[in-house]
Amino acid sequence: EVQLLESGGGLLQPGESLRLSCAVSGFTVSSYAMAWVRQAPGKGLEWVSSIAVGGIPYYAGSVRGRFTISRDTSRNTLYLQMTSLRAEDTAIYYCARDTILDYWGQGTLVAVSS
Amino acid sequence: QSVVTQPPSVSGTPGQRVTISCSGGNSNIGSRAVNWYQHLPGTAPKLIIHTNNQRPSGVPDRFSGSKSGTSASLAISGLQSEDEADYYCAVWNDSLNARVFGGGTKLAVL
């Protein structure tokens, strides 16, 4: 059975950093592209980042240069390192199996506020 | 403002057929496959159509997708109360080198 479980969310102040994790079971993270998608309060879904099978990362313009996507095949885990956090980064963050986003986690909440 | 546009809301009565449009351009829908997601707040989004018109296993055949040129559509026939949710189209955008979601459409079953 495929399962994705996000963790690492929390309440932070602007400018702080945070790393989200997505523990995967049922398939190997290195065999599929993986993605992070977020939903800010009252807003729609927003794609944040993807990492291709070959390891090439892709980022939304709103996070490029501040967020880094990576994976650890030994832990079968996807990560999202977030730096210089802003209030507009407040959202539920979901990890999903790319390229059609067929499996999703339940999400983890990141709140950025002073 | 997303580069891919959906109507903010649609509505229908039980048993009716509704369609949700997704309008883009040559660098996204015009050249790439479109996927559709159903989302209930507080839950994980669910893939209901991929590659323009393919239904994943377990998705009722009441859901169908189509694409023509730079537009795509999701149709839901035999509307049921459980279909009330937010629906999103998503597609890769070659000029942005990024995936884009439509703004989402809230479906109300009256």
Side-chain angles (χ1 to χ4, degrees):
Chain A
E1 181 189 7
V2 171
Q3 287 190 326
L4 294 84
L5 182 64
E6 303 93 339
S7 62
L11 175 62
L12 297 98
Q13 295 191 337
E16 291 189 325
S17 299
L18 188 68
R19 187 179 79 163
L20 303 182
S21 300
C22 172
V24 173
S25 57
F27 68 92
T28 304
V29 291
S30 58
S31 298
Y32 290 84
M34 298 293 295
W36 289 96
V37 176
R38 68 185 180 185
Q39 184 178 36
K43 303 292 187 181
L45 298 177
E46 179 189 17
W47 173 80
V48 173
S49 178
S50 289
I51 184 167
V53 171
I56 296 174
Y58 299 87
Y59 300 99
S62 59
V63 307
R64 189 175 296 120
R66 301 187 299 123
F67 291 10
T68 302
I69 190 171
S70 64
R71 64 192 179 202
D72 183 333
T73 55
S74 66
R75 298 179 185 271
N76 213 35
T77 299
L78 177 73
Y79 300 102
L80 185 69
Q81 178 70 47
M82 305 185 293
T83 64
S84 302
L85 282 162
R86 306 166 180 169
E88 54 264 36
D89 295 319
T90 294
I92 298 173
Y93 285 74
Y94 300 97
C95 63
R97 190 172 81 171
D98 229 337
T99 54
I100 60 173
L101 304 178
D102 53 350
Y103 292 98
W104 296 66
Q106 289 299 312
T108 187
L109 177 63
V110 174
V112 184
S113 175
S114 55
Chain B
Q1 187 81 9
S2 177
V3 298
V4 174
T5 304
Q6 297 180 232
S9 63
V10 298
S11 63
T13 56
Q16 270 191 329
R17 180 179 185 271
V18 296
T19 61
I20 298 172
S21 61
C22 178
S23 179
N26 291 323
S27 60
N28 44 68
I29 296 176
S31 56
R32 293 284 188 165
V34 178
N35 304 319
W36 290 90
Y37 305 89
Q38 178 190 63
H39 189 211
L40 289 161
T43 69
K46 177 185 178 182
L47 176 70
I48 54 173
I49 295 290
H50 70 88
T51 320
N52 305 322
N53 55 17
Q54 301 300 300
R55 243 184 346 268
S57 173
V59 174
D61 59 7
R62 302 186 296 103
F63 293 87
S64 62
S66 64
K67 189 183 93 166
S68 178
T70 59
S71 293
S73 290
L74 172 70
I76 309 171
S77 60
L79 205 58
Q80 300 179 4
S81 58
E82 67 204 51
D83 298 331
E84 195 162 272
D86 297 323
Y87 292 85
Y88 296 88
C89 59
V91 62
W92 189 262
N93 188 301
D94 288 323
S95 62
L96 296 174
N97 213 22
R99 172 176 284 107
V100 291
F101 279 90
T105 299
K106 183 175 293 292
L107 169 63
V109 181
L110 306 173

